[in-house]
Amino acid sequence: MASPGPRQKVTITEVNRMDYDEFIERFGNIIEHGTLITAAVWSRKPFQNIKHFHENICSFIDELPLAGRTGILQCHPDLAGKLASAGKLTTESNTEQSGSGLLNLTDEEQAFLQDCNRQYRQKFRFPFVICARENKKQAIMEGLKVRLQNTKQDELITGINEVKKIGWYRLVDLVTDDGKL
């Protein structure tokens, strides 16, 4: 689920007043294609602040079995991959990949990423996930090359931690603290 575009931020008080459908519609892609996560976290309201909201998302993810956490990673697109080329990224992923320079690659960079993405998926059975907002294309390409040497367990942990960072930034785009519960 992609958000329809830039929106006015809501306060944490407004978040806590949202009914289920409004909550899902607004926050369904905090975690890429993670409507189920959003649905589960809705029942944990009220949130004290944006940090508490994010902590509840992270706690839910951490409570998932291995297959659930792997599934979260599998919902992410390849960086600068087929979905990006076809213009089919979620609004959030498009903004993040564009901001890091991944949607403006040379032919050599594109070929390098395609090859590394293929190797990564083949080895780990999920895509390489990195918080693009904290990295530019060169750091992402270097990180991909280095992380290909990791174990599957290490990459599962690293990937989930990157998902949590991505979720934080997406949440900050949508919510502001208002100092009230």
Side-chain angles (χ1 to χ4, degrees):
M1 167 188 281
S3 66
R7 297 180 170 188
Q8 182 176 347
K9 286 187 178 189
V10 294
T11 66
I12 202 69
T13 298
E14 291 169 318
V15 169
N16 288 327
R17 291 182 185 146
M18 287 181 180
D19 66 23
Y20 177 83
D21 291 333
E22 184 180 8
F23 189 85
I24 297 301
E25 193 275 326
R26 183 168 284 268
F27 302 113
N29 208 46
I30 293 295
I31 303 301
E32 190 82 3
H33 301 292
T35 305
L36 179 62
I37 296 165
T38 304
V41 171
W42 177 81
S43 67
R44 297 181 178 197
K45 295 185 317 172
F47 307 116
Q48 298 168 2
N49 51 44
I50 191 172
K51 184 177 182 231
H52 186 236
F53 187 175
H54 186 252
E55 287 169 352
N56 274 275
I57 294 168
C58 294
S59 293
F60 179 81
I61 291 169
D62 291 340
E63 293 162 9
L64 290 171
L66 176 63
R69 286 177 278 129
T70 301
I72 288 171
L73 295 175
Q74 290 168 334
C75 287
H76 282 261
D78 284 334
L79 296 174
K82 291 177 185 176
L83 291 177
S85 296
K88 293 184 178 180
L89 292 173
T90 62
T91 302
E92 298 86 353
S93 284
N94 188 69
T95 300
E96 292 156 357
Q97 289 196 33
S98 178
S100 68
L102 289 174
L103 301 185
N104 187 25
L105 299 172
T106 66
D107 290 343
E108 290 171 358
E109 291 168 333
Q110 186 68 40
F112 174 83
L113 272 177
Q114 285 176 350
D115 183 53
C116 287
N117 279 333
R118 181 190 53 73
Q119 289 178 54
Y120 190 95
R121 271 190 183 271
Q122 188 173 25
K123 181 175 181 178
F124 299 116
R125 313 298 286 166
F126 50 78
F128 175 73
V129 177
I130 191 167
C131 182
R133 291 199 199 186
E134 293 185 352
N135 296 278
K136 294 298 180 197
K137 68 180 176 180
Q138 193 60 43
I140 291 169
M141 290 188 294
E142 289 171 14
L144 179 51
K145 189 175 177 181
V146 168
R147 284 176 50 191
L148 266 166
Q149 306 310 309
N150 288 345
T151 65
K152 186 170 185 176
Q153 180 63 26
D154 287 342
E155 274 308 294
L156 178 68
I157 292 166
T158 301
I160 289 297
N161 285 333
E162 293 297 311
V163 165
K164 291 174 184 179
K165 289 179 196 176
I166 294 164
W168 170 255
Y169 287 110
R170 290 180 179 185
L171 201 54
V172 167
D173 286 344
L174 299 172
V175 180
T176 184
D177 282 331
D178 59 3
K180 300 177 186 173
L181 198 174

